[in-house]
Amino acid sequence: MDVSKRNCYTNAPELHPHFHLLRFGQVQKESICIEIPLSNPKKRIIHLDVQLSNAALNGLKKLQLYPLECTKYVARYSPATPGCRDESIVFQPNVALEFWYLLRLTTELPRPTTIPEVQCDLGKCMAQMISLVNPTHETLELQATNSNPENFVLDVHGSVLTIPPHSTKEVSVHFCPSALGRTGHQASIIFHCAQFTEWRFFLSGIGLFPQPIDIKRMTAYLSLQSSVVVTFQNPTKEDVLIDIILTSREKPRHLILDHHWDKFFRQTSAFSFSGLSHTKGITLPPKENIDIPVLFMPNTMKLHRTMVIVQMMRANRESWPIDNFEELDTEMKRTMGTASGEIPEIHWIYPILGLPQALYPKCPPVVIKCQSRKRVEEEVEVTLTGDFFGENPILDSTDFVVIPKRNSCKFDEDVDGKKTTVMDIKNGNK
């Protein structure tokens, strides 16, 4: 009969020939600690050699017992394969006949591991780590089976994952939701190798309503253009229709944002789309991408803001279900603009800042000369390029700042043979 306890104690044996039978039960990929009481009834030191029948057993190979000492011999058992095995620990004292323990060990398959649930915005991916512990003396060459590779991407290079003896390997799994809520966001990843048939991990996740993406920054010289490409992928498993909106030219519907985004909705002609034949009702199959080129061509030295908003609707015009709607907080429900467990559109928001730059003046740079450890002051006239004093002057001083730039620094000899520092100062605009 197998015993479920990890530790087993017996009466401390005296040093004369006999053997004991101990039974243990354990789960594979876990180690059990085997403790055997020993006592020395003699009034002299006894030295013992210890023989372990299997490399899966780990313990001292030599020990000594002092006169009248009682102690415990500790061995750790870390099997690589499941099943029932008979092993032994043999003690060989220098002054008596050997004695041994017969170990009847039953090893079961590893218990399934449930990984904590992860949350991620729809359209993004979130990484989780799986710890694969190999406490055994054998090298494990694992292969993996993934029940949901579309939503849980296992980051393993090659078909075989090798774990050396007595080591741990961290494997990342990327959760990529394809819907709002929990629907379809479960997976079972099973590792198997020559030593065992199943090492199972359960994973689950929640798809969240997308939050604004990190702000992109664009720079361009006045009256010249620069471009940036916003790439959008349909993260769902069905055909969708998308509308693409530039908030500096058009206001989206069914979208509620915090007031600190208000400046991104001001009208400006500095931004425009390029190369798009149409921006409404674009059909996008599952996992397909669309590139959205955005042009920035400023005509004033003023900070410009806009947003690219992608509104995604189901091709059949039905609403998107939200199966975890009751778990959402009030602010999230307000942002989504719905009071029920479904929503007609899902929005992705890409904020963009446009930073204009002034062309460098064609006049020669201003050169200020000064001897070392001296100070000189000169007035430099700087002409600001932009609509600062025209019909529509820029009144918000926080929108721009003029910064002197030290472009070069070198040493010259002046006519008196004294060393001077020459710096070219040019005006710059931010």
Side-chain angles (χ1 to χ4, degrees):
M1 169 174 134
D2 292 334
V3 179
S4 60
K5 293 182 179 179
R6 297 263 176 114
N7 301 320
C8 185
Y9 304 91
T10 64
N11 294 328
E14 297 183 356
L15 297 179
H16 56 78
H18 65 289
F19 97 98
H20 292 261
L21 172 63
L22 304 180
R23 299 177 185 270
F24 294 90
Q26 73 167 119
V27 175
Q28 194 180 6
K29 302 295 142 229
E30 297 180 3
S31 297
I32 62 169
C33 186
I34 301 171
E35 296 184 357
I36 299 176
L38 297 174
S39 66
N40 179 10
K42 308 295 183 181
K43 295 183 179 180
R44 58 184 176 182
I45 296 176
I46 298 178
H47 299 272
L48 298 98
D49 293 332
V50 183
Q51 293 184 356
L52 305 174
S53 62
N54 193 303
L57 288 167
N58 185 30
L60 294 175
K61 300 299 179 65
K62 292 181 179 294
L63 70 153
Q64 60 183 11
L65 297 177
Y66 290 94
L68 306 178
E69 179 187 7
C70 293
T71 188
K72 294 176 182 177
Y73 178 81
V74 179
R76 187 168 293 277
Y77 182 57
S78 305
T81 56
C84 183
R85 300 176 64 93
D86 287 343
E87 304 293 348
S88 62
I89 300 178
V90 180
F91 297 93
Q92 298 174 327
N94 62 333
V95 295
L97 296 178
E98 68 180 24
F99 60 96
W100 66 93
Y101 284 79
L102 178 63
L103 310 176
R104 184 147 294 165
L105 303 162
T106 301
T107 306
E108 301 175 356
L109 286 171
R111 295 189 184 97
T113 301
T114 300
I115 305 298
E117 188 175 59
V118 63
Q119 299 183 356
C120 181
D121 287 0
L122 185 62
K124 292 185 177 181
C125 290
M126 182 72 69
Q128 284 183 295
M129 303 304 296
I130 293 179
S131 294
L132 300 175
V133 182
N134 179 13
T136 74
H137 66 286
E138 298 186 27
T139 298
L140 303 181
E141 294 184 348
L142 303 176
Q143 292 181 320
T145 302
N146 188 350
S147 66
N148 187 358
E150 187 171 354
N151 295 117
F152 294 88
V153 181
L154 187 63
D155 188 10
V156 175
H157 301 289
S159 59
V160 177
L161 178 64
T162 302
I163 307 180
H166 307 293
S167 66
T168 300
K169 181 159 289 189
E170 300 284 343
V171 178
S172 62
V173 180
H174 296 273
F175 169 55
C176 306
S178 57
L180 297 176
R182 293 187 174 87
T183 301
H185 296 155
Q186 295 81 31
S188 172
I189 297 180
I190 302 174
F191 295 93
H192 54 90
C193 62
Q195 288 88 345
F196 57 87
T197 58
E198 184 176 296
W199 191 2
R200 187 185 297 267
F201 293 84
F202 294 120
L203 300 97
S204 60
I206 301 176
L208 302 178
F209 191 79
Q211 297 301 300
I213 310 298
D214 293 340
I215 294 177
K216 289 182 178 288
R217 287 172 170 79
M218 303 177 65
T219 59
Y221 290 107
L222 284 179
S223 301
L224 298 178
Q225 67 182 23
S226 64
S227 64
V228 67
V229 175
V230 175
T231 300
F232 174 77
Q233 182 187 63
N234 173 10
T236 71
K237 300 178 181 180
E238 57 184 279
D239 292 337
V240 299
L241 299 175
I242 65 169
D243 294 344
I244 305 173
I245 296 171
L246 202 58
T247 58
S248 54
R249 294 177 177 266
E250 177 186 358
K251 289 188 178 181
R253 61 183 186 275
H254 307 308
L255 180 63
I256 301 174
L257 289 177
D258 192 85
H259 290 301
H260 77 271
W261 294 108
D262 287 350
K263 290 184 178 181
F264 287 81
F265 290 85
R266 293 177 180 174
Q267 295 292 314
T268 176
S269 60
F271 296 99
S272 62
F273 290 132
S274 173
L276 294 177
S277 59
H278 60 288
T279 59
K280 305 296 183 183
I282 301 174
T283 302
L284 204 59
K287 307 303 178 182
E288 288 294 316
N289 296 337
I290 183 172
D291 291 333
I292 307 170
V294 181
L295 295 183
F296 173 53
M297 189 168 68
N299 54 18
T300 60
M301 289 299 299
K302 185 176 182 178
L303 181 64
H304 298 272
R305 302 175 179 87
T306 192
M307 289 180 177
V308 174
I309 296 183
V310 178
Q311 294 183 161
M312 188 179 74
M313 300 154 285
R314 303 178 84 174
N316 58 12
R317 301 293 182 173
E318 295 181 0
S319 295
W320 297 99
I322 311 169
D323 62 16
N324 68 323
F325 182 78
E326 298 302 326
E327 301 175 9
L328 303 179
D329 56 37
T330 303
E331 181 62 24
M332 177 56 70
K333 293 177 181 178
R334 188 187 73 86
T335 300
M336 297 171 68
T338 181
S340 62
E342 57 183 21
I343 188 171
E345 301 166 346
I346 303 176
H347 300 86
W348 279 264
I349 302 172
Y350 302 85
I352 298 176
L353 289 181
L355 306 172
Q357 291 181 323
L359 293 171
Y360 288 112
K362 296 181 179 179
C363 59
V366 177
V367 178
I368 301 176
K369 292 185 178 182
C370 182
Q371 295 180 0
S372 298
R373 301 186 181 182
K374 296 290 183 70
R375 177 178 177 178
V376 66
E377 293 185 8
E378 291 189 22
E379 285 190 3
V380 177
E381 183 176 334
V382 179
T383 302
L384 299 179
T385 304
D387 192 11
F388 293 101
F389 311 106
E391 295 181 358
N392 300 302
I394 298 174
L395 301 179
D396 188 356
S397 60
T398 62
D399 280 348
F400 71 94
V401 62
V402 180
I403 302 174
K405 294 183 179 180
R406 292 183 173 87
N407 290 337
S408 64
C409 181
K410 60 183 179 180
F411 291 104
D412 287 334
E413 296 292 333
D414 67 359
V415 294
D416 296 327
K418 296 180 181 179
K419 184 173 288 188
T420 61
T421 300
V422 179
M423 288 181 288
D424 297 332
I425 308 295
K426 295 182 180 180
N427 65 295
N429 297 277
K430 183 177 181 181

